[in-house]
Amino acid sequence: MKLLLIAGNWKSNKTISESEDWIQKFNAKCQMLNAKWENKTVVLCAPFTLLNILKESIEAEKLPLGLGAQDVSPFGDGAYTGEISARMLKGLADWVIIGHSERRKYFMENDEVLAQKVAKAKEAGLKVIYCVPDDKMSVPRSVDVVAYEPVWAIGTGKSDSPENANSVISSIKKQSGIHIVIYGGSVTAENVFSFVSQDAIDGVLPGGASLDPVMFARLITAAISG
Ligand code: 13P
């Protein structure tokens, strides 16, 4: 069966109480749909401040959700004020997004620092989702998943065409040697199946559509059943 990875990226959104509300509503939807989600990987990439509470709720409610962070320090533990090291994350999250275009743009992260982040994440045993805007960007060999996210499609409501995303993703797979590549950029419950039904596309990375629990549950159902 084809692999399917759905990773919701909350970006810089939600307070503790908003995240608790999300879990409650998502749980209500999950109860009905749980069986269908077997063998699919659904991950929630949340702000650092929410990982602990989300982990507890996910375990308590036995939700079929993995947890990911959205960034990690390029350094280890130590005198790096404000940073969250990979070792601190391990135990709270299994996944981490590295190299999101928003990190590259607003925080001036370059290939060198991103390679250090990947190395630290892998040392700690985290699974890395590495974002690239096209098939020209270099990808560290040790990442687990690449996310193709064209910058112009992020948060604009204008997604790439499934056919073009499929061809860019095929090219990324060939050049990087990474076997799991997903698409992100204005993915919705309405268009998700057109992406995941393409040969080369192994899943999606929705941002805005993961913020609402009912919408996210609809997106997952649509990805699985068309
Ligand atoms: P949107 O789904 O809101 O376009 O965001 C995509 C994204 O950047 C996910 O990482």
Side-chain angles (χ1 to χ4, degrees), residues 9 11 97 100 102 131 149 153-157 184-187 205-209:
N9 178 8
K11 307 193 178 183
I97 296 175
H100 194 282
E102 288 150 13
C131 300
E149 294 206 307
I154 295 177
T156 58
S186 297
V187 174
L205 184 55

Side-chain angles (χ1 to χ4, degrees), residues 64-87:
L65 278 179
L67 264 183
Q70 301 167 6
D71 187 28
V72 66
S73 174
F75 302 105
D77 294 353
Y80 305 103
T81 302
E83 285 296 89
I84 307 290
S85 74
R87 204 178 68 87

Side-chain angles (χ1 to χ4, degrees), residues 1 9 32 57 104 122 133 135 146 170 172 177 184 210 212 224:
M1 196 193 296
N9 178 8
M32 294 185 289
S57 313
R104 294 178 194 259
K122 293 313 298 173
D135 57 357
V146 176
S170 302
I172 290 172
S210 69
D212 180 287
I224 290 167

